[in-house]
Amino acid sequence: MRAILGSYDSELTAAEYSPQLTRRMREAEDMVQKVHAHNSEMEAQLSQALEELGGQKQRADMLEMEVKMLQSQTSAAEQSFPLSREEASSLRLKIEELEGERSRLEEDKKMLEMQLERFTLQGGYDQSRTKVLHMSMNPASAAKQRLREDQARLQEECEQLRELVRALERGGPVPADLEAAASLPSSKELTELRKQVESAELKNQRLKEVFQTKIQEFRKVCYALTGYQIDITTENQYRLTSMYAEHKADCLIFKATGPSGAKMQLLETAFSSSVQELIELHLLRQDSIPAFLSALTLDLFSRQTVA
């Protein structure tokens, strides 16, 4: 057995197996270096993502503090300086828009946190079997760029609102650039608008008074000429009370029917039941409401004259 082993050792020289072992060792070392490099790259990306997330959270907190400060400053300005309703409403709308932007930024921050968690859970991969494709238009980079632009725009609007609040607290005129930014009318325009509203309200009040006076005059003229006081009880119903009525409750009620009230229908009342003869003659046979009202007026007038 020693002789057999010796023969094997003598047959396998160093030139036959050393290159193979060396090549395998080099491949293993290269693979280990690649794994170390990939792990370092993953750690660097993770640290960068954490730093960006911390910065975004800090900026969102700063924006929230600025919105709260603007709200407190707006409340103090409303107490110290008598703002008009239009200006106060415009400021409240701007604050609500900023709060909405802040909520949207918080949602974007949560989405970035979820993406970061998925990124950390991915782990390593075998480069010999897996291919990594990098998109030229990276959604994460686009979202970060959009977030930075939104934050810059919000900061600019916050600064403009601060300047507007300071100007209103001082009690002076609002600068033209701030009026355009806040979409508020100028003091001169507000004064003119108030004058126009007051003039329109005064004109409307005068028209109402004139109409009321004319309506009363028309009612009195109708009462004097026809002998009937006409009142509107409900929609499309009219109550007629004769000036010669024996009792205040003696009245007739007509209801307008047909298109545009072209036809009138007499409704049954306690008083109409007492004049059935006139109804049968003038309404049912002759189909004439004016004749019926005239005959009723003559009948009531004759009763008072006899009495």
Side-chain angles (χ1 to χ4, degrees):
M1 292 177 68
R2 289 192 187 96
I4 293 171
L5 290 174
S7 64
Y8 285 151
D9 291 335
S10 61
E11 290 177 357
L12 292 175
T13 60
E16 294 179 354
Y17 62 86
S18 291
Q20 297 179 356
L21 293 177
T22 303
R23 181 171 55 82
R24 292 180 180 177
M25 289 178 62
R26 288 178 180 175
E27 290 179 355
E29 290 176 355
D30 293 339
M31 184 63 68
V32 170
Q33 290 178 358
K34 290 180 180 179
V35 170
H36 284 304
H38 177 66
N39 289 334
S40 301
E41 183 181 356
M42 293 289 289
E43 290 177 356
Q45 292 179 359
L46 180 60
S47 301
Q48 184 180 0
L50 288 174
E51 290 177 358
E52 291 180 356
L53 179 61
Q56 297 294 338
K57 184 176 181 181
Q58 185 177 3
R59 284 193 288 271
D61 295 337
M62 290 176 64
L63 285 175
E64 185 176 0
M65 292 177 63
E66 290 178 356
V67 170
K68 291 181 179 178
M69 290 176 63
L70 282 176
Q71 289 178 349
S72 61
Q73 290 177 1
T74 304
S75 300
E78 289 179 353
Q79 295 176 0
S80 60
F81 183 75
L83 297 176
S84 64
R85 293 182 179 177
E86 294 81 1
E87 293 173 348
S89 300
S90 300
L91 289 175
R92 290 191 185 96
L93 289 175
K94 286 293 181 181
I95 292 173
E96 291 177 358
E97 290 178 359
L98 290 175
E99 289 180 352
E101 292 291 336
R102 181 180 61 81
S103 301
R104 190 173 62 81
L105 288 175
E106 289 180 355
E107 293 179 358
D108 293 340
K109 184 188 70 174
K110 291 180 181 179
M111 292 179 62
L112 288 175
E113 289 178 352
M114 294 175 62
Q115 292 178 1
L116 181 60
E117 290 179 358
R118 290 197 298 267
F119 183 73
T120 54
L121 292 175
Q122 286 179 358
Y125 59 91
D126 189 359
Q127 295 183 354
S128 62
R129 296 182 179 179
T130 305
K131 292 183 180 180
V132 180
L133 300 177
H134 296 278
M135 299 176 64
S136 59
M137 297 295 293
N138 195 346
S141 300
K144 292 177 183 178
Q145 181 65 25
R146 185 171 62 253
L147 185 61
R148 286 193 291 267
E149 293 176 356
D150 292 341
Q151 287 178 350
R153 181 172 55 82
L154 288 174
Q155 289 177 356
E156 184 179 357
E157 291 182 359
C158 288
E159 188 63 29
Q160 290 178 353
L161 287 176
R162 288 196 197 97
E163 294 294 334
L164 180 61
V165 170
R166 294 192 193 101
L168 293 175
E169 288 177 349
R170 290 194 298 267
V174 180
D177 55 347
L178 294 181
E179 288 178 359
S183 298
L184 295 175
S186 61
S187 302
K188 185 177 180 181
E189 291 178 352
L190 287 175
T191 304
E192 292 179 356
L193 288 174
R194 290 193 186 97
K195 290 181 179 179
Q196 292 178 3
V197 171
E198 292 175 357
S199 176
E201 290 179 352
L202 181 60
K203 185 177 180 181
N204 190 18
Q205 183 65 28
R206 290 177 179 174
L207 288 175
K208 287 182 179 179
E209 293 175 356
V210 171
F211 287 156
Q212 189 68 25
T213 303
K214 293 299 181 182
I215 289 172
Q216 293 297 330
E217 291 180 359
F218 181 75
R219 287 168 59 87
K220 290 178 181 179
V221 169
C222 289
Y223 184 69
L225 294 177
T226 63
Y228 289 95
Q229 180 179 349
I230 303 174
D231 298 315
I232 300 176
T233 56
T234 59
E235 185 177 0
N236 297 332
Q237 286 190 7
Y238 305 92
R239 182 179 61 222
L240 276 68
T241 305
S242 176
M243 65 171 60
Y244 304 115
E246 297 177 351
H247 305 283
K248 292 183 178 180
D250 293 345
C251 63
L252 299 173
I253 297 179
F254 287 90
K255 181 178 181 181
T257 59
S260 302
K263 293 184 179 180
M264 304 296 292
Q265 181 181 1
L266 178 64
L267 302 181
E268 184 178 0
T269 60
F271 179 68
S272 64
S273 301
S274 63
V275 291
Q276 288 293 329
E277 294 180 358
L278 297 177
I279 292 174
E280 291 178 359
L281 175 60
H282 298 290
L283 293 182
L284 299 180
R285 295 181 184 177
Q286 299 176 353
D287 192 16
S288 175
I289 294 177
F292 167 70
L293 295 177
S294 301
L296 180 60
T297 301
L298 292 174
D299 184 51
L300 295 175
F301 180 73
S302 63
R303 291 180 190 179
Q304 289 192 358
T305 303
V306 173

